Amino acid sequence: MILLSGLIFIFLGKPGRCLEEGGGFTFNGDVRHFAVANNSVYVSTDDRLYQLNHDLTLVRSLTQRGILKEDKLLNVPRFYRVSEKDEWNATFSVNVLLPFDNKTLISCGVTDNRCGYCELLDLADISQVRYSEAVLVGPVNNNSASVAFLVDVERSSTNETYILTAIQQDGSPKPKCSSGIEAVYLHNTNNTQLGGIFSFNDKSTPLFKSKGDVSFVDGFQNRSISSIIYLLSNVPSENEGNKVRLIWLEGKTDKARTMKSLRGASLDISDLGGKGSRLLASSVVPGGPPVLWSGVFSVDGGQVNTELVMFDISPDLSRKENEDPDFCSAAKCDGINVKAKTLQPKKTLFRQNYMTSVLAVRHNGWMVFFVGTGDGQLFKLAVDKNYHTTCPKVLYRANDDHKVFPKIHLDEVDHKHLYVAFQNQMKRVPVSKCSTYETLQDCWSAQDPYCVWCGSNRCTFKEECPDSDWLSIPEYYQQKMVSYTVTKDATDQITLKIQTHLTVDQKSLSNFTCQISSSFNELCSRESAPPQFPQCTCILSNSALPIKGLDVTIRIRLGKIDWLEQLKLMNCSDIRGPPTSDLCKRCLDAGCDWSQDVCSWATAELKNYSVCQMKMNISKPEISSITPSIVSFYGKNHALLTGHNLNDVTRVRIQADMDCTPRESPVWNNTGVNLTFHIPSADSKGVVKVCVVLPDGSCHGNTKITYRSPPSCTAITPSSSWMSGKRRIVITGSHFEFVEGVTHDNDSKEVKLPQNRNSQNLTYDTPAAGKTSSRNVSVKVANETLLCITSFTYYPEPKFTGFTSTTTGPNVHITIQKKADKLEMSAGELSVIGIQGGKRHNCIMGDTIKSNETDSFTCDITTTADPKFQKLEITYGDQTIELMPSSYIYLLIGGLVVLLLILCIIAFVVIFFRNKQKQLNAKMNKHIEDLELNIRNDIRQGFVDLQTEKADLMENVGAIPFLDYKHFASRIFFPESEALMTSCIKDIGQDAVKVPLDDCCLGLSKLIQDQVFLTSMVHALEEQKTFTIKDKCTLASLLTIALHSNLSYMTEVMEVLLKALMQQSSNAQPKLMLRRTESTVEKLLTNWMSICLYGFLRESVGQHLFLMVSALTQQIGKGPVDCVTGKALYTLSEDWLLWQAQDFSSLKLKALFAVGSDGEVSESLEVNALNCDTVEQVKEKILSSFKAKFGFPYNTNLKDIYIEFQKDGSFVPMEEVDGSSEIIGEVTMLNTLKHYKVPDGATIKVLSTKTHPPLSPQLSVKDDQDFSVKYFHLIDPDVDEDQRNNPEKKKFKLKEIHLTKLLSTKVAVHSYVETLFKSIWELPSCKAPHAVKYFFDFLDSQADVMKITDPDVMHIWKTNSLPLRFWINILKNPQFVFDIEKAPHLDGCLSVIAQAFMDSFSLSEVQLGKHAPTNKLLYAKDIPKYKQDVKAYYKQIREQSTITDTEFKAFLQEESKKHENEFNEAAALRELFKFIQRYFTEIKEKLDQNGVPVELKEQLHHVKNSFDALRSCAWS
């Protein structure tokens, strides 16, 4: 009889540990069961029950601890839950957790007396217990192989719901509180059912027994199809090892009828090598019929070798009921000896080690399987209706090896997340990573049924698509999104059929278009059928195809979505050669057909690439071993593979069993019996297969590599080190065999090699640290650095204060005192040697005694009994110190002296403070008055400068120091490589004679004159991830030099590459084309413009550019310039504004130059200087004045002169730093004219260090490499006033007051800037330079070809090609044009002018406010006028008559001839070959793809062999 329990007290205990980032929750105990209902997740652990929201935020938790009391009415012990603070003697362990009727949660299990207990909890609030009863439902043991789930039994009027429990049968005795030991029970779920709630015995229900041991794995009822109940179990068998059994029950009429309807079958995977296999997890595929079911099987009965297999388990109701070899539903089960029906699998879907769980769902016609593993991974596998599997994806990968819980549930709220349980964690993992795919091709290639590509150009879930236009993968597997075939009929008519493999929304079907274009005027004839989704047809108007093939562009549009497809049409009969796998694939890729080792015209639309698997007559390589063969999933560098016949191996291929995209790693150091390669990182853990690849693409050998979890750290001992390092540290954790080094953050990133390591422990010595602080300890694994410990601290060195020694028998006992610290130093870390009479005695370490102030270490010396030691040598880490004996009397005297000194200091401070307090008010008022006066003066002076400034800067700039052409060009070509710049130009005298090329360089020169080879090589190199932007720029410049003698050909190559670049850019953002230098052709265009515009630059623009730079230099020199930071008072850039400068005054100096070594001097030269100028700045101004007056530079370099000034009839040496320099703290002020008290009109003598050696070896702070840290000039260092030797009152400065200096500088140089701009965009004789007109016309023609009508796009293309790519480079780098040096503050001014120049070409109108940058505000009123000039400039060029090809070729030939023999073509070709040699294989593959003639490839091999023959010789 069942009694309703009374009101019980529910106590909510402490919640789980925390909600983790990324959708996870960590519990205090291990997860035992969990269930999902509505918008909640319910989890039972060892002693708690949790209720979580669907996003895994905690709602409440319920303690499962209580007390057992005797129920006097039923005479059985009852469980009563208590608070965690109260005493308890029992725990309610949940074994059954089932949400029921959307209202209640059924929670059943056992208490500590191994008796059953059940509760009905409120589904919305588990703290509300609606009913409880001491009854056993489900297994007794927590880890039992049993299942429980709800089933519906059909009745005539309604359905009854029962709890079906299938209990593991292993011969255990009957539980003392249970009434049966049967295998399967049907328990009631409410009191209206016969027998009451939780009852299973209605007296007419037959017993469901097993004939032997059985372990149940899963059970379910597919209510959407029928009332059939399915039970899956493992049954041990003496002959077969194990049988996987499936039981069908019909849920009809009542319990008795359901139990009697038993039918069964065996699931056999023995044909797959699964003899004696075991079922580990299962999931039914929703939908049907048929009833498809997936199971994780252990092939050999263990836990490692596992497979995911699909069966059709539709029930066979034709078999007799209750006739089964392992189960029966009758009182007596003897005498029945039948053989069960055997089901064979439909498909093995996935092979992966350690699989533990599976969940199957249907989505858009696809079956999607989510598979968990024993090493903490979650895989996703999509399967189409033909049972073809896509590439498995890793959705989640744990850093540890906790296995995934046997059950995975889907989030019932959004159906876009999974609940995955680990040991004590619950993760909410997205079912897809759609947002990580950035392009249409990537989104489609992911083969993810959940992902669609939206018209808004993003990959996402279909429900999140903001518009109606979308497309996704079809309902069947396809390798490519777009495929095509080329057929030829009997009339030689060629037909191109393009097939799209997509699923699209219905609205987009009516907007399906295909635009097929090529270099032919009309590619498709008008007889071609109109596009009809999913196919387009093009009947070629010309049946003759070029030998090299025809490049075809296909623009496909579906609604708002459009994309380009590029293909090359080939004459199928022209694809010929020795039958290899590569030739076969090339044939099929061209839309042709391959049969009988010959490429022919296609006859079918489906391509079968399996025909390309061929056998080659070569010695097959064999693999013996790989070291190491076990790595973390971050991979391993420099792995060693050994074997036989490895000479021809080019790559190592690594592939998992079901991996669609194998990874390949190049090899080196190949000796034929061993080679080296990198093991790449992996997305998942597990075993992968390894084979070696030959040049024909075939792969041989079969060995394995195991990927495991990376290292993880749990503790570090000790957790600190002294600053000098070399302390022995032990880290504990797991997987330390993969660690290659240890690093400490914030240090020099020195990698410390492990001294000793195994899987759980790692020992290393700490690096030294510059200061005391906390550090992060990281471990290096392959190319990754993993954070290990975050609480490692560096402390100061240990301080040993003294030692005492006493005689103990024949030994000497020594006690060493050390000041207490936080190092936790042990005696084992010390090595002690006693010094006595010149002899050294080892001291054997003993105990450590710690106190609050002193730590003591003891040791014993056994080689002498004399306790008198002069000193001890103590070694710790790599530090050795000498320690003298303790002297307590000196310590006492010192203590008294310190105490007396403290008292005196206190008395002095009190007296001093009283006096200072009296003076404070008076000084404060005085400071405020001075501050106000200084600010007024600064504002007034700024106003005066602005109103009186005029452009009177230029008097005599002398001859303009133009660089010759080859030096100008080399600085443009190689701005960052001095070595290449020097090697690729000829010295003076060499450029008069043409030096013939050697055979190697001549062969390469001829090879790059072939346009097909050159463009293929460039494309091949740019496709390599290791080919950096710097490499691309270097390649372009080397090609420029190598082809400089044939500028016409170089122009043709540039045009071809630009067209290819435009095709790429136009697919996304055409306005971004040529904006940056990210490709070879963009740098090639920069070089081409520089070559073609050099004459225009020198004749029309150069003089104005030099005048503008000179004017800027003079204006900057009118005010102070800080020698250390480079900031100036007069500048155009706010970042370089010297607003901290103090007052200064102008001086006129008379400079005398020493002539000879006898003291003669020249006539005086007047030099303008400032009293705040340093000695080095004065020298610079003297030399600048000399050059301005005489037109040529002084014959001695700046660094080789020093100066003296006349004082009282004698000359005093002037140095930037000497004994009189002011020192503030640790910073020294540079000596200025003001420091030496040089008056106006003073005489300065200039001497050479060669004829008059100075007294001091350091004449300039530039001789001190670290001067920026030690010295200052006009900007005061950040030190206290009391550290100054000569403290003086400094004026208070505000940066904003000095912003007027920017405007005054602009006014001074404005006329020069405007003249320079006009010289660039005002065309002489209304004609643009040939190169500008030609290239602008080229851009216009390409826009017409690409159907681009937006005028803004053309404006941007031209702006990016000429002003941005050439003129900005010249404006910011005048040292490319002239033989001058560019100071940092001059660079800041030029950047502002260049920005104004570029803003003049901008199409956007920017509204500037008070917070706008000053460099924008400075030219804000001038930009509109400049924009009008730019529009007129572009219009003039557009209206100018077109330059014919003949005229332009003549111009290019003339430019080539002008600078003939100025470059070292041989040096450029040798550098160019280094790129070819590094990527030789990739270039060869690209040539094969492009179908180049065999002669060209032979020529390439000949060039390589020629260079290889000279490898041992130095380049001549």
Side-chain angles (χ1 to χ4, degrees), residues 820-863:
D821 52 32
K822 298 180 180 180
L823 285 169
E824 299 291 334
M825 182 180 282
S826 65
E829 295 179 283
L830 297 178
S831 173
V832 179
I833 295 177
I835 307 297
Q836 186 184 72
K839 294 184 178 180
R840 302 166 63 86
H841 301 272
N842 289 326
C843 199
I844 302 172
M845 299 306 299
D847 299 329
T848 303
I849 305 170
K850 296 184 179 293
S851 64
N852 292 334
E853 297 182 356
T854 304
D855 296 341
S856 298
F857 300 94
T858 64
C859 66
D860 294 293
I861 295 178
T862 60
T863 55

Side-chain angles (χ1 to χ4, degrees), residues 301-561:
Q303 300 293 324
V304 178
N305 190 4
T306 55
E307 295 179 350
L308 178 65
V309 184
M310 177 182 285
F311 282 85
D312 180 352
I313 60 169
S314 301
D316 183 3
L317 302 182
S318 63
R319 298 180 67 86
K320 290 185 178 180
E321 295 180 349
N322 202 23
E323 287 190 3
D324 190 88
D326 301 305
F327 300 96
C328 64
S329 59
K332 293 184 180 181
C333 296
D334 299 332
I336 302 177
N337 187 13
V338 295
K339 186 175 181 180
K341 177 182 180 180
T342 299
L343 301 181
Q344 297 295 333
K346 296 187 72 65
K347 181 73 179 291
T348 299
L349 302 177
F350 188 40
R351 293 185 178 92
Q352 176 72 23
N353 288 351
Y354 303 106
M355 288 191 287
T356 58
S357 51
V358 61
L359 172 66
V361 299
R362 281 190 184 270
H363 193 81
N364 294 342
W366 287 76
M367 294 173 283
V368 185
F369 298 87
F370 302 96
V371 183
T373 67
D375 52 5
Q377 300 182 96
L378 181 67
F379 290 89
K380 181 174 75 172
L381 187 72
V383 181
D384 67 9
K385 57 186 178 183
N386 298 321
Y387 307 113
H388 190 287
T389 59
T390 63
C391 299
K393 298 287 191 304
V394 179
L395 288 183
Y396 180 79
R397 180 181 65 186
N399 284 332
D400 51 35
D401 290 332
H402 292 158
K403 74 173 184 178
V404 178
F405 204 71
K407 281 293 181 183
I408 302 173
H409 289 285
L410 191 66
D411 186 343
E412 296 183 358
V413 176
D414 63 4
H415 298 281
K416 296 176 184 175
H417 291 83
L418 304 168
Y419 296 116
V420 186
F422 297 89
Q423 182 178 11
N424 65 334
Q425 291 180 320
M426 178 75 71
K427 295 287 184 181
R428 184 170 179 262
V429 181
V431 297
S432 182
K433 300 177 180 178
C434 299
S435 60
T436 61
Y437 309 119
E438 298 181 352
T439 65
L440 167 60
Q441 186 62 51
D442 290 344
C443 188
W444 189 94
S445 298
Q447 292 289 294
D448 192 330
Y450 286 94
C451 298
V452 301
W453 183 260
C454 288
S456 55
N457 285 338
R458 66 190 183 104
C459 190
T460 184
F461 292 96
K462 179 180 177 182
E463 297 78 9
E464 298 175 5
C465 210
D467 46 44
S468 60
D469 292 332
W470 57 264
L471 57 84
S472 65
I473 60 175
E475 294 185 356
Y476 52 90
Y477 175 79
Q478 283 291 331
Q479 284 186 325
K480 294 184 178 181
M481 184 167 62
V482 178
S483 62
Y484 70 97
T485 56
V486 184
T487 59
K488 190 173 185 180
D489 60 14
T491 63
D492 288 342
Q493 179 176 276
I494 300 176
T495 303
L496 169 65
K497 291 185 178 180
I498 301 159
Q499 185 81 18
T500 62
H501 306 288
L502 300 166
T503 299
V504 300
D505 67 299
Q506 293 299 317
K507 293 183 179 179
S508 300
L509 292 178
S510 58
N511 294 325
F512 175 65
T513 61
C514 292
Q515 296 178 359
I516 306 173
S517 60
S518 71
S519 57
F520 280 15
N521 292 331
E522 186 177 354
L523 177 65
C524 301
S525 70
R526 298 182 181 180
E527 300 175 0
S528 303
Q532 185 70 34
F533 183 82
Q535 184 173 286
C536 307
T537 303
C538 171
I539 300 175
L540 270 61
S541 56
N542 188 348
S543 60
L545 291 174
I547 297 177
K548 295 182 179 180
L550 179 64
D551 292 322
V552 176
T553 301
I554 307 168
R555 180 182 291 274
I556 302 174
R557 181 182 296 274
L558 274 163
K560 297 179 182 178
I561 305 172

